[in-house]
Amino acid sequence: MSGHGSPHASGPSPSRREPPSEGTNPLIRPSDRFETWIRRFLMLVLVLGLPAAALSAGLTAYESSIRTVQAQSAERQEVAARLTSDVKGVATDGEQRARVRWTDDNGKVRTGTTLVKSGTPEGATVPVWLDREGTITSPPMTTLAARTNGWFVGGMTAAGVVGGFFAARAGTHRVLDRRRYAQWDAEWDLVEPLWSARFRR
């Protein structure tokens, strides 16, 4: 058998071509490269911006709530009042409005209404909160509520950043796809007459 026909014939073996890299691949369009860089940029913004935005928003909300806690605690005081009538019936939230009576710092007897647990008997002592004018108001915000508000705002900010990331990525892809389709249509308008002419010969 001739050595020329042998698969093991001597001679230089054909050189292997390395697969083209992303930068040299002729099939990669400029819009593909642009979209790749945009996605990398958005991912960088997500990785760096998500914790920064969430932490900043959460701390801002917490500090604002703490100032509210301090202001309300300084402006409001708790006093003991007595019910002037029985609280009968069962409310859906377990509390009903009832008349109460208390004595202010000047010794004057004051009356008002506040939420009292259902079933509380007349004459029972209940705590009420008063503002600077001596009017019944709601209890001041607690530190726990301020902390919860900070976590909530921080979490919502993080969710907003993630939502913005996916929206920006999807929007960029949609805009580039429209441009690609428009480019394909324009190129097909040039190629189609030449292509169709081959079958009319």
Side-chain angles (χ1 to χ4, degrees):
M1 185 175 181
S2 173
H4 293 290
S6 172
H8 302 286
S10 62
S13 59
S15 60
R16 293 185 177 180
R17 291 186 177 182
E18 295 295 331
S21 63
E22 180 180 324
T24 60
N25 190 345
L27 298 180
I28 294 181
R29 300 160 295 186
S31 60
D32 296 329
R33 296 190 182 94
F34 178 76
E35 184 174 3
T36 298
W37 282 107
I38 285 294
R39 287 189 175 185
R40 290 175 180 174
F41 172 75
L42 291 177
M43 182 60 68
L44 180 64
V45 171
L46 179 66
V47 172
L48 299 180
L50 176 61
L55 183 61
S56 176
L59 285 177
T60 300
Y62 171 73
E63 291 172 355
S64 176
S65 298
I66 283 295
R67 287 193 293 269
T68 301
V69 170
Q70 295 171 346
Q72 290 184 353
S73 298
E75 295 173 352
R76 303 177 187 184
Q77 62 172 340
E78 185 180 19
V79 298
R82 290 187 179 277
L83 280 176
T84 59
S85 62
D86 293 336
V87 182
K88 300 180 180 180
V90 178
T92 55
D93 57 357
E95 292 183 327
Q96 294 187 28
R97 285 204 162 274
R99 301 283 302 178
V100 293
R101 181 178 64 246
W102 72 95
T103 304
D104 62 17
D105 295 336
N106 298 323
K108 183 179 180 180
V109 176
R110 304 284 299 274
T111 59
T113 59
T114 187
L115 289 174
V116 180
K117 185 177 180 180
S118 298
T120 305
E122 180 181 358
T125 301
V126 294
V128 295
W129 284 90
L130 308 177
D131 59 19
R132 289 183 175 180
E133 285 73 30
T135 305
I136 295 179
T137 185
S138 60
M141 178 184 288
T142 63
T143 303
L144 176 61
R147 190 178 299 114
T148 301
N149 186 43
W151 280 106
F152 175 77
V153 173
M156 292 300 295
T157 302
V161 171
V162 173
F165 165 78
F166 284 107
R169 191 173 70 170
T172 300
H173 183 73
R174 178 173 298 182
V175 170
L176 292 176
D177 269 354
R178 288 180 179 177
R179 297 191 61 180
R180 290 165 185 153
Y181 291 142
Q183 185 178 2
W184 287 341
D185 289 340
E187 293 175 352
W188 180 247
D189 289 340
L190 297 176
V191 174
E192 192 274 336
L194 300 177
W195 182 266
S196 300
R198 298 177 57 187
F199 299 97
R200 291 198 296 265
R201 294 176 181 176

